[in-house]
Every structure is written in C-alpha cells, then in structure tokens.
Amino acid sequence: MTTPTIGTADLPFPGLAGVPTNDGPQNRKEYTSDQEVRWCPGCGDYAVLSAVQSFLPELGLRRENIVFISGIGCSSRFPYYLDTYGMHSIHGRAPAIATGIATAREDLSVWVVTGDGDALSIGGNHLIHAKRRNVNLKILLFNNRIYGLTKGQYSPTSEPGKVTKSTPVGSVDFPFNPVSLALGAEATFVARTIDSDRKHLTQVLSAAAAHRGTALVEIYQNCPIFNDGAFDAINNPDTKADAIIPLNQGEPITFGVDGSKGIVRAAGGGVEVVDTADVAPETLLVHDAQNPDPTTAFALSRLTDAGILHQSPIGIFRQVERPTYDDQARAQIKTASEGLDDPMAALANLINGGDTWTIL
Amino acid sequence: MAKQVQQLDRVIIRFAGDSGDGMQLTGDRFTQESAAFGNDLVTFPNFPAEIRAPQGTLPGVSSFQVHFADHDILTAGDAPDVLVAMNPAALKANLADMKPGTAIIVDSHDFNARNLTKAGYEANPLEDGSLAEYVVTVLDLTGMTVEGVKEFGLSRKDAARAKNMFALGLLSWMYGRPTETTIAFLEKRFAKVADIRDANIKAFKTGWNFGETTEAFMVQYEVKPAPMSAGTYRNIAGNLALAYGLVAGGVASGLPIFLGTYPITPASDVLHELSKHKRFGITTFQAEDEIAGVGAALGAAFSGSLGITSTSGPGIALKSETIGLAVMTELPLIIIDVQRGGPSTGLPTKTEQADLLQAMFGRNGEAPVPIIAPQSPGDCFDAAVEATRIAVTYRTPVMLLSDGYLANGSEPWRIPELSELPRIEPNFATEHNHETRSKPDKDGVVSVASDFWPYLRDEETLARPWAIPGTPGLEHRIGGLEKGNGHGNISYDPANHDFMVRTRQAKVDRIADSLPPLEVDDPSAIDGAGARVLVLGWGSTYGPIGAACRRVRKAGGSVAQVHLRHLNPFPKDLGDILKRYDAVMIPEMNLGQLSLLIRAKYLVDVVGYNQVNGMPLKAAELAEAISDLISTTTGDLDAARPSDTSKEPVK
Ligand code: SF4
C-alpha cells in the first residue's frame, strides 16, 4: 500500500478496511464476557455497554480482531465485560497504548474507553496528540462531569462552583469543553451523544467506526451516585426539546418545541440561537460536518454551557478526511522493505557496513 | 628532508577546541584512520550539553580523546600524551590533565586579548613561561589553513572553518595514519558543495605536507597494528552497536520491532539509527512524551511486536508506572536507559552509573525487572540481543543499562557471525490451554469445555502464554489490577495476591537458570594460590577496572576481576565466588549502588570505590586503591605498587 486507503468510497466502512470480516452472523452474546458487571445500579455505563454489545456484531468483523483499551475510572472497566481482546491499562494512558496497537496492526479495530478525568486531566496530553496524528482509533469519552471511582471529586468538566468532597466551598476551576478541545486538537471526527438515547448512540458509533482516523465520541453519561441529574435538561421530557440541539448533516439546525428555535451565524463570527419565527428560513445554518474549515463546528461547540447544562448540540460536529498516522507509517515500512526476502542476509550487510578490515 | 621514525607502543591524543570547531569530527576521523590501520583503540568524546555554548569560553570546549596502541587496550587513557588545543579556552580547560613532558600543539590564531580574557587568562600563556614544563609547539593553524585554501575563493570565515582538517592532516602525518578513508569521507560528506569539499581536502593535505616539510617536527611516530583474533572488524560506538543489536534481536526472534520513544540525550542516536532501518519492518514512533513512548511500545507488544523504549534516567522516572503495568501484564518489553549524570536534569552529556537502583526498585509494589548492562561499546550489540532473549522468553520487561561513555565512545568491534545469534522463539499461543469441568448434572454427567487461561504458566520458565489479537478463540483481557492465578481474571483474594507477587519474583529469579557461569579473571590462580582480593564491576567500568588490574599485576600484585552483565537476577555462582576472597572491591560511578545490592543479598562486607564526577574512572588511581586493599588484606604493607601512573601496561 503506497497511499492511505482514505476515501475509498466503495468500501462501506473505510475505517475498518484491512480488518478481516466474519463469515456468518454474530450476536451480542458472543460479545459478552463471563465477568460480572460491577457498576452501581442505575449507572449510565450499563446503557452504553449494552448498546456496544449489540452494535459490535453489526460490524461483521472477526471478534478476535477487535481490541478495547481503557485507562482508569469507572468506565474503564468496560473491556472486562466484552469478549474481545482488551487491556485495562493505567490512568490516562489508553490513547498512547492504543496508538502502538493501531500502528503495529492494520488488521485490528481498536477502541479506547475513557472518562472525563482519565482523558482530559491525567491523560490530556495523549488525547490531543492522538487526535492531531489521526491514528485510526475510536475514542469513547464517557463524560459524567465527576470523579466516580475515587468517590466524588470535581473533574475537568465539572461546572464552575461545583461543591464536592475536594471543593467544599465550590470549585474555582474552569472546565474543558471536550468537543471544543478535540476541534482545537485537529481531530478529524468529533461527535457527542447521550447514554440514554440508544438509537443515536448506535448511529454515532457506526459513523465513528466508518471513519478512518481518530474518532472522538463524547458520551454524556449520568453518574447517579456522585453527580445525579447532571444531564437532566436533556433527559427530562419537559425540557429536552429546548436542550438538545440536533446536528444532522445537510439540514438546517433547529430545535425546541416544533422547531421554534434555530441557529444562525452571529455578527461576531460565531453562531447564535434565534426564534425561527423571527428569521427567514434560508438564514438558518445548514449543518455541514464535512466542511474542511473547523470554524463553524467550533462555534457550534460553544453553544454547550460551561456551567450547569441547559442546552447542548448533539451529533457529529466534524467528519473530514486526512491521511492517518498509522497508514502512513506502515506505508513507509512497506516501501522500504520491498524485496527484502532474507532478513538475515540484510542484517549481515548492515553490520558489515562502514569501514571494515579483516584479520586472517 | 629525512625525518626520524620512532616506534611507540601506544599514544593518547586529545583534540580540543570550541564546540563549533569540529573536534568530534576530527577525532572521529583520526579514529577511523587508526582503525583502518589496525591499531586497537578506545575513544572518549566529551562535549558540553549546549549545542553552541558561547564561543571561546570554557563551557564551550569540546574534546575528543583517542587512545591507540599496538596491543589490546581497555580504556581511552587517563591522561593524554598529546593535546591539540585550537583556542585559549581549550588549552585552559584541558591543561590540568597533561603531565609534565607531554606535547601540546596550539593554534596561536585566537590567542588575542579578547579570547584570552574570555578563557579567563590574565596573561598569554604562550608567552609568560607558564607552559615551560611541556613540549609546546605554537603554530598559526588557522592562518596556514586560510592561506592554503585561498584558491577556492571562500569567505575568510568559511576558509578558517577547515582548520580542523589541517590539524587532522598534521596529526595524521605525525602518526603515519592512512589518509584515503578521510579523503573519501570528505568527498561524500560535502558532495553537494564543491568548494567546501575541495577546501577541506586541501586543508587536510596541506596539514599533512606541512608536517613532512616543517622543521617544527623532526620525528614521525609509528604505532604498529595490534594483533587481533581473526575476523572482520569495524570501529563502532555504543549507541550504534545497541541499535544494531536490537535489529538483530528482531531478526533472531522474527518479530517486527516497535520503538516508542522520546528524544533525550544521550539516547536519541538509538532512535535516529533505528528510524533508518524500516526495511526490517521497524516502526519508530516519536511520541508526545516519555510515557506515551513506553505506552505505545507496550501496546505494540500486546499486539505481537518486539516493543522497545529508549531513554535516559529522567525518562525512566516518567515511564515507571507503565513498566509496572508491563510487569503486571507480563508482556515482553525492552527498556533502554543510556545513563547520564543525575539527579534531575543533572549532566546530560556526561556519564554515570547511578540509575541501577532506579532500574531495580523504581516502581510501586513488588515489581521485579531483569537488568542487564553492556561492558564496552561493541558489547552493546550482544547486550541488546540478550535483552531480547530474556524479554521474549520470559514475557517480561527488561532494563538495559548503558551509559554516556559507552554510547559515544568507540572501539574496534569484531563483527559477529550471525550463526552465533541465539534462537529466540516467541511461541505465540494459538490454542486453548485449559479445560473447565462442570459440576455433575442431575444424571451425574460432567461436561468438559476447553478454554484459554492467559496466566497459566510454562513449568520451566514460569512464562505465561503470549496470545496476540487476531488469534481466534483466545480473546482475553489483561490489565493492571491483580490477576487470579491461571485464569487471569481480576482477583482481590489476599492469598492469591501473595502467591502472584511471589510468582512474578520467582519468574525473574528463574532467569538465572539460563545464565552461563561467571568468568573469573585471575592469572595468579593458574599456577599459584590465586588472589585474595576480588574486584567486582558492572557496565562501562569494565575497561578502567581491567586496566587497573593489569597495572596491579604488572607490579607483582595478585587481583581477581569479575564483571557482571546480569544485575537482576545475579548469576547463580556469584555468591560462592564472593566468599572465596578475603576482600571484595566494587568500583562504580555512583555512591555504591551495586555495593548495596551485594551487601544486602550476600552479606559480604564489600569495599566501595566511588566516583561521581561525570567522567570514566581513571585506571591509575583505581590501581592505587586496589593495591592499598591488597596491602591491608594481606598485611604486606610493602607490597609492590604500580609505579608508572600514566601508562596503561600491556597485558
Ligand atoms: S460511581 Fe457513578 S460512574 Fe461510577 S459506577 Fe457508580 S454510578 Fe457509575
């Protein structure tokens, strides 16, 4: 392979090109390990696990060619519950470990499971560098806006002023917006979905799998023990219509009851929420995740509150093509090793290079 | 003019100048010429951490010492016979190492008020008589170079740059070095800039011709080739040999290499070299930091590559947690620490052996890691192959401790026959290895299902199976949480944890079963009672310790030498060997780290000889210390002592 397989449009899943497919149908049972799931009752992680266990068989891949790598935190127990290859590694380092796997092996579908503390705090460096390199990894970032496993400290996505065990009079940290961060880090696929919306979650996971390169999927995940209700606005049937701003490719962005609200370009260069009744329909922003320029995607990402969540765009913000690190690294090796059929002889040549002399 | 030719058995030359003067290149070329001539040699490059420290100052001085001989030698020499000083700072910085009567060749061009002040001289040492006890030759090397290359129309600055080649030409004449390799080298190096190429070649030849015609030098010296055992040789530096050894480890095991690393002095050359050899299926990943470097290497190891990470002491500190994960997941991983002066940023370009305890204990929990150390630049090749053997065979991270002296120093290396390489068998798991029997059902029938247990061990090595993704039926999960014995699922059971901790230690201890017996070097034991004092060392101190032992023996003393390649586990016969001697000395470039381990494990009251000045040990001083120990041990206070303190004797 001399050129990366990016853009091979005839493949239904270019993101999975090179990964062997399975002969017959698979079911979720095959993907369920024999380990007892140990999250708290009501934890949003259950819904995501269940969605993934149902979604993986649909990919039609050989199960032994799927690898899940996680860091540390509640969500990072995920690999134990899937009957694929997996590693529950150390805090924050999953993207680095997965980069090694994805680069060494074209024939594996590599997934990272991480949380807001794992990915954005201790592992922030690895996360941004994986995205800029565009390694063929799918990163599922479970954002519950709290540290669960260590029993309830504020996280790098907690709202300012958050009162927790470690911030008894309120946090003075300003949070990251994981989507804004990903866009700033040159990510080629950035999406947000919700633990409670199985259909949307599955759609986003499919799109991520189909993407060749790093896909960052932020999943709003409720932690009923330490941060219950953090996403109430988007889960509550009474408020949800006004809280969820759906991003659908090629469609004007509208939300609210009966599409009463919409997004238009703002004078300052960003975007703003308007009442659709007040504007001409053609001024509504038409969503285009494939725009090579990330400016509008970034502007959309800013609609999410830094504080208590009232509204947030949900869907795929950005989906563009760029050669992946791993494809290019493998291509260099392939080109260099053409015609090397006797490594031992090549090694002998190598070590006998330079100025040599022989003593009889 | 007929010149006299004088025979010498060995010479130590130090080229010293500003870091922009090309002294490393000059020394390296002289070394290659000497290697091509057939001398045995050892080199010691010494340069500042700054790429271009302020010109003309003491911190900006860079030097290259080469020791060449007509016999087998072990060190770059304690003190030079000849110093070539290209400016006042180079003279000042190196004069303390010169013994009275030795030769100094000075380029007088920069001995002006400005540069003398920069070097901290109040008066011009070439004129105030302060160099009276040396044999000083003052030459305007720069002026002669500029004059010699004027036909090429270079700027004065570019013309003056070729002065290092003039100096090289002069020294090459003086010691009868072959010139072809240097001319060929210059042709290739400056192939794209014809005038610079021609000027450098002309400067080199002019320097040679100057030596032949000038009356400043009436004697030419000859150092005959050294007898060496049959074979094909090349001169090699430690980092290059290390990189070649890793390539060889990949070929011998049939595994693709994945190097995950981050640039750091003095280890970066390993990355540079391996990145050139993609054709062997080698991936080099320059990560965002040290942690990602080792993380990616471990990920690659999980997926079936030979995972390697290379760094120096500060990088090891950052990688510790991931090395612990490699211990827990029991995956092969090679961790290269090219040690430098510490702690913290320390002395990035200087050598030290003070990471031994970090390699041994620098992780949380009981996390044993095998440690091996090369003893000379060429030996870095064998050490890398051995690291591969241990990592792959025992499914374990392995620490390889090189150092700055080995990394940059060079020596003639007999190129190994590849049939000498060990067979390294990855033995990937491909099948179920366990049967689970169900409880009898109501009819008393027991059903048997086969499955894969990732922590079921090989009885001999205690290694666990290496089942890589893509292998059907062996899907499994590993991680940093404690594993249940055999099945490998998470286990918090106290007895299981105790068992697993002991088993991981036992696995590393078991490596000792595969090690050859130690070699004890004691000529006095061949037809006599043998020595009562043992000198035990590890790593790059092999050369100075061996040279010191030769001095002691030459003076009539008896001393035995043992050098350790394996620091964890220790070879099985080490304890018995230690107990045979009345006294054991351990010279180290640290405050006694091997001493601590030996005392703890064998309860032997060893005597430390410790130096932490960023420089290799000096053989003459060490020989004195060994003689003192022999005297106190044998009670013979008049025991013979090595007299000549400057020369490394013939074996
Ligand atoms: S602490 Fe919160 S995030 Fe963690 S398992 Fe329990 S509910 Fe889920």
Side-chain angles (χ1 to χ4, degrees):
Chain A
M1 181 179 62
T2 48
T3 50
T5 52
I6 288 278
T8 43
D10 50 337
L11 282 166
F13 291 105
L16 300 169
V19 184
T21 50
N22 200 45
D23 302 332
Q26 299 170 327
N27 57 46
R28 63 174 288 147
K29 195 160 165 270
E30 292 171 68
Y31 280 89
T32 307
S33 79
D34 60 356
Q35 297 298 295
E36 184 195 346
V37 185
R38 292 194 201 167
W39 289 307
C40 308
C43 178
D45 291 354
Y46 283 100
V48 186
L49 175 64
S50 172
V52 168
Q53 283 168 338
S54 307
F55 154 76
L56 287 176
E58 290 170 19
L59 288 179
L61 302 175
R62 295 189 68 94
R63 190 161 51 94
E64 63 270 21
N65 289 74
I66 299 175
V67 183
F68 272 78
I69 307 294
S70 64
I72 293 293
C74 293
S75 59
S76 286
R77 297 295 175 96
F78 207 91
Y80 289 119
Y81 309 135
L82 285 175
D83 202 4
T84 64
Y85 282 89
M87 192 194 295
H88 174 216
S89 75
I90 45 178
H91 208 8
R93 316 305 171 200
I97 292 168
T99 294
I101 299 172
T103 306
R105 294 280 301 272
E106 183 179 19
D107 62 330
L108 302 178
S109 170
V110 185
W111 297 73
V112 168
V113 175
T114 182
D116 42 320
D118 193 54
L120 298 168
S121 204
I122 194 166
N125 200 31
H126 309 307
L127 184 78
I128 57 174
H129 287 276
K131 290 171 191 165
R132 76 164 166 87
R133 286 191 189 101
N134 202 26
V135 186
N136 199 13
L137 299 175
K138 314 304 151 206
I139 302 174
L140 310 185
L141 196 168
F142 291 51
N143 183 8
N144 56 12
R145 307 190 78 184
I146 197 76
Y147 280 83
L149 193 65
T150 50
K151 302 201 167 126
Q153 300 81 8
Y154 76 105
S155 91
T157 57
S158 296
E159 64 275 15
K162 179 116 189 142
V163 173
T164 70
K165 274 189 195 141
S166 60
T167 48
V169 290
S171 154
V172 292
D173 268 21
F174 193 80
F176 266 139
N177 175 326
V179 170
S180 298
L181 181 74
L183 292 166
E186 307 285 357
T188 54
F189 183 104
V190 185
R192 175 183 292 136
T193 182
I194 311 167
D195 58 359
S196 54
D197 186 345
R198 182 166 181 145
K199 187 161 162 252
H200 190 265
L201 179 61
T202 306
Q203 277 171 357
V204 169
L205 291 180
S206 302
H211 180 74
R212 195 156 190 92
T214 305
L216 185 279
V217 179
E218 181 190 11
I219 304 171
Y220 282 158
Q221 175 242 319
N222 192 41
C223 167
I225 304 297
F226 295 109
N227 203 17
D228 197 23
F231 306 105
D232 257 4
I234 55 174
N235 286 325
N236 183 332
D238 296 337
T239 54
K240 147 178 198 174
D242 283 335
I244 294 178
I245 307 174
L247 303 178
N248 296 315
Q249 179 68 13
E251 290 177 19
I253 306 171
T254 60
F255 62 111
V257 181
D258 300 328
S260 58
K261 293 182 184 178
I263 305 292
V264 297
R265 292 200 184 276
V271 296
E272 62 187 354
V273 177
V274 293
D275 286 337
T276 38
D278 298 344
V279 297
E282 61 273 20
T283 56
L284 289 171
L285 185 66
V286 175
H287 184 54
D288 182 11
Q290 290 162 15
N291 186 348
D293 183 339
T295 313
T296 307
F298 188 82
L300 287 170
S301 77
R302 306 312 291 166
L303 294 172
T304 307
D305 305 286
I308 304 279
L309 195 78
H310 299 293
Q311 66 175 28
S312 186
I314 303 292
I316 299 170
F317 288 75
R318 181 168 168 81
Q319 186 176 21
V320 297
E321 289 178 2
R322 193 171 78 225
T324 71
Y325 176 89
D326 48 310
D327 281 332
Q328 295 179 92
R330 284 188 298 262
Q332 285 188 347
I333 290 175
K334 181 136 194 254
T335 307
S337 57
E338 236 139 64
L340 180 86
D341 38 37
D342 186 352
M344 204 50 106
L347 175 61
N349 265 337
L350 176 68
I351 63 177
N352 280 281
D355 298 335
T356 63
W357 68 97
T358 300
I359 291 172
L360 300 172
Chain B
M1 186 178 355
K3 300 227 171 172
Q4 207 187 323
V5 175
Q6 191 180 326
Q7 298 285 334
L8 295 174
D9 61 350
R10 24 121 14 249
V11 176
I12 301 164
I13 299 177
R14 185 183 295 175
F15 296 94
D18 206 61
S19 28
D21 284 346
M23 291 297 100
Q24 300 304 321
L25 174 70
T26 310
D28 194 53
R29 287 319 315 162
F30 192 92
T31 302
Q32 297 296 349
E33 293 172 0
S34 300
F37 185 71
N39 293 129
D40 193 15
L41 60 87
V42 181
T43 67
F44 177 45
N46 191 9
F47 43 86
E50 294 76 19
I51 304 305
R52 290 275 188 278
Q55 215 181 355
T57 61
L58 293 176
V61 173
S62 165
S63 70
F64 189 105
Q65 183 163 313
V66 49
H67 181 188
F68 58 104
D70 68 359
H71 56 275
D72 122 77
I73 51 172
L74 294 165
T75 72
D78 293 354
D81 301 307
V82 182
L83 170 67
V84 180
M86 302 301 283
N87 68 5
L91 177 65
K92 182 144 198 201
N94 290 286
L95 196 62
D97 289 336
M98 302 304 291
K99 297 247 163 10
T102 54
I104 302 178
I105 298 170
V106 182
D107 180 0
S108 60
H109 192 266
D110 278 350
F111 280 71
N112 48 33
R114 188 158 158 266
N115 281 299
L116 286 166
T117 312
K118 266 203 228 168
Y121 275 120
E122 280 168 14
N124 186 342
L126 305 182
E127 290 163 4
D128 67 0
S130 61
L131 303 176
E133 52 186 353
Y134 307 99
V135 182
V136 183
T137 310
V138 179
L139 301 166
D140 184 1
L141 296 176
T142 306
M144 287 190 281
T145 305
V146 172
E147 180 63 21
V149 305
K150 67 175 178 222
E151 64 191 90
F152 304 106
L154 298 175
S155 69
R156 201 185 148 75
K157 200 168 149 222
D158 279 349
R161 274 228 178 106
K163 68 186 171 190
N164 63 332
M165 286 299 113
F166 186 98
L168 178 63
L170 174 60
L171 272 289
S172 299
W173 168 80
M174 210 180 277
Y175 294 96
R177 307 286 93 184
T179 56
E180 302 78 19
T181 59
T182 293
I183 291 171
F185 169 84
L186 291 172
E187 278 170 350
K188 201 167 149 203
R189 167 127 174 179
F190 298 114
K192 291 201 185 108
V193 269
D195 48 353
I196 304 273
R197 172 197 66 199
D198 296 343
N200 273 284
I201 293 173
K202 180 79 193 298
F204 177 64
K205 288 183 176 166
T206 310
W208 173 284
N209 294 337
F210 173 75
E212 204 161 46
T213 48
T214 183
E215 292 185 12
F217 301 107
M218 294 309 293
V219 187
Q220 200 181 10
Y221 300 93
E222 185 177 47
V223 179
K224 292 227 161 79
M228 294 190 196
S229 48
T232 299
Y233 288 78
R234 65 184 284 177
N235 188 54
I236 201 160
N239 271 350
L240 182 60
L242 185 51
Y244 284 178
L246 295 171
V247 178
V251 171
S253 62
L255 296 172
I257 285 177
F258 186 102
L259 174 74
T261 189
Y262 187 78
I264 186 170
T265 302
S268 303
D269 286 340
V270 177
L271 163 63
H272 303 161
E273 189 59 33
L274 286 180
S275 66
K276 289 186 213 161
H277 303 300
K278 295 189 173 24
R279 64 185 307 237
F280 290 93
I282 296 172
T283 305
T284 52
F285 172 61
Q286 183 179 315
E288 58 271 23
D289 60 27
E290 296 279 1
I291 299 172
V294 66
L298 185 65
F302 177 60
S303 67
S305 292
L306 180 58
I308 304 171
T309 192
S310 55
T311 188
S312 188
I316 296 292
L318 287 164
K319 294 177 197 292
S320 299
E321 190 190 13
T322 310
I323 298 170
L325 178 63
V327 169
M328 203 64 161
T329 52
E330 303 191 40
L331 287 167
L333 182 69
I334 299 175
I335 303 133
I336 292 159
D337 177 0
V338 185
Q339 301 165 94
R340 66 189 214 185
S344 186
T345 311
L347 303 173
T349 58
K350 309 294 177 198
T351 195
E352 203 161 285
Q353 292 182 298
D355 293 351
L356 176 57
L357 295 183
Q358 179 178 227
M360 188 79 188
F361 300 120
R363 290 163 296 282
N364 62 306
E366 295 285 355
V369 170
I371 304 169
I372 67 171
Q375 63 181 33
S376 71
D379 189 46
C380 289
F381 180 91
D382 294 331
V385 174
E386 173 69 348
T388 311
R389 180 189 74 84
I390 293 174
V392 173
T393 309
Y394 293 87
R395 320 301 201 208
T396 177
V398 175
M399 193 82 74
L400 189 156
L401 293 182
S402 178
D403 65 34
Y405 177 57
L406 295 177
N408 295 312
S410 67
E411 64 173 355
W413 177 55
R414 191 183 68 77
I415 300 168
E417 292 297 333
L418 293 181
S419 54
E420 298 165 15
L421 283 180
R423 275 187 63 81
I424 300 171
E425 210 21 90
N427 274 326
F428 290 126
T430 53
E431 288 169 356
H432 286 173
N433 60 353
H434 179 262
E435 285 181 345
T436 302
R437 305 172 74 81
S438 71
K439 294 216 175 82
D441 65 11
K442 58 182 183 334
D443 302 322
V445 179
V446 173
S447 64
V448 178
S450 77
D451 51 9
F452 176 64
W453 276 25
Y455 280 77
L456 210 53
R457 296 170 189 280
D458 179 272
E459 279 177 18
E460 189 192 328
T461 59
L462 295 181
R464 75 174 191 92
W466 189 8
I468 63 172
T471 316
L474 307 192
E475 294 84 0
H476 65 284
R477 275 67 53 195
I478 56 176
L481 285 169
E482 183 60 282
K483 305 282 164 300
N485 179 37
H487 54 74
N489 293 324
I490 302 172
S491 167
Y492 301 118
D493 176 62
N496 175 74
H497 178 55
D498 186 86
F499 178 82
M500 292 299 276
V501 165
R502 289 173 198 278
T503 304
R504 286 186 287 266
Q505 181 65 51
K507 181 178 82 165
V508 170
D509 291 343
R510 236 178 242 194
I511 296 167
D513 290 350
S514 70
L515 305 181
L518 284 167
E519 280 174 34
V520 182
D521 176 33
D522 180 10
S524 68
I526 296 168
D527 44 13
R532 291 173 61 186
V533 171
L534 170 72
V535 184
L536 178 70
W538 69 281
S540 77
T541 53
Y542 172 75
I545 293 173
C549 288
R550 285 183 190 177
R551 281 167 194 269
V552 170
R553 289 169 193 154
K554 191 146 196 236
S558 292
V559 62
Q561 182 190 1
V562 167
H563 209 74
L564 294 175
R565 144 148 307 164
H566 298 90
L567 283 314
N568 190 33
F570 287 127
K572 286 180 146 175
D573 50 349
L574 179 59
D576 287 340
I577 291 171
L578 291 170
K579 298 205 163 68
R580 275 190 239 144
Y581 295 88
D582 295 330
V584 177
M585 176 187 273
I586 300 185
E588 293 180 88
M589 295 186 290
N590 58 41
L591 291 183
Q593 302 196 0
L594 178 62
S595 291
L596 184 86
L597 295 178
I598 295 286
R599 282 166 172 256
K601 175 145 179 140
Y602 299 106
L603 302 178
V604 171
D605 188 14
V606 300
V607 179
Y609 177 90
N610 306 96
Q611 172 193 301
V612 216
N613 61 0
M615 305 287 281
L617 302 180
K618 291 198 166 176
E621 292 169 12
L622 177 56
E624 285 282 326
I626 296 171
S627 296
D628 286 346
L629 183 60
I630 294 174
S631 293
T632 47
T633 305
T634 59
D636 177 5
L637 299 180
D638 302 322
R641 349 196 99 253
S643 52
D644 179 347
T645 53
S646 68
K647 299 261 199 277
E648 183 183 320
V650 181
K651 190 175 182 179

